[in-house]
Amino acid sequence: PETSDWAAWLLATNDHSELRDGKAAVALATHACQLTGFNNVQYLTTLAAAYAESGDFAQAAKWQKRAISVAKATDPKLVPGMPEALTQYESGRPLRESEITAVPTHTPRRVILGVIGMMLMLIGAVTVISWLVRLARGSRRAAA
């Protein structure tokens, strides 16, 4: 969920339009939320930002309200900056990283862990692909 959330956050809130993809952000953020039972404040905040980027501001507001509710129940110190994003979504504006004054849940440590997770996933994918290539080459040699 950490890697999905990290990637979704970047795809939803990046200041550079060419790097944003609302549809992919929603899919990744939904995946992170599903894996945590829709009870992780950080992941819910990302899901809200993803929906806003995709243009579905009603869903963005819904998930931001859920994030605020979960934060009140689990970590009230996160709540003070959260209504600002809700107001932004209700006014039909997506969130951008340059506009964020405080994002206590997306710390540098989490970003670093996300990068490490993505690197490990890529290494795993390359390993599987190279194994499949070797397997296919071996099958061709055996057939010849």
Side-chain angles (χ1 to χ4, degrees), residues 2 9 20 25 33 49 114 130 132:
E2 185 83 28
W9 181 257
R20 291 192 304 267
C33 286
S130 63
L132 289 172

Side-chain angles (χ1 to χ4, degrees), residues 97-125:
E97 286 224 344
S98 62
E99 300 171 345
I100 301 169
T101 55
V103 186
T105 57
H106 294 86
T107 63
R109 177 182 171 272
R110 290 190 180 275
V111 171
I112 290 168
L113 289 174
V115 169
I116 291 169
M118 286 185 68
M119 289 173 60
L120 291 173
M121 285 181 11
L122 287 172
I123 290 168

Side-chain angles (χ1 to χ4, degrees), residues 35 59 71 126:
L35 292 174
Q59 284 294 316
V126 168

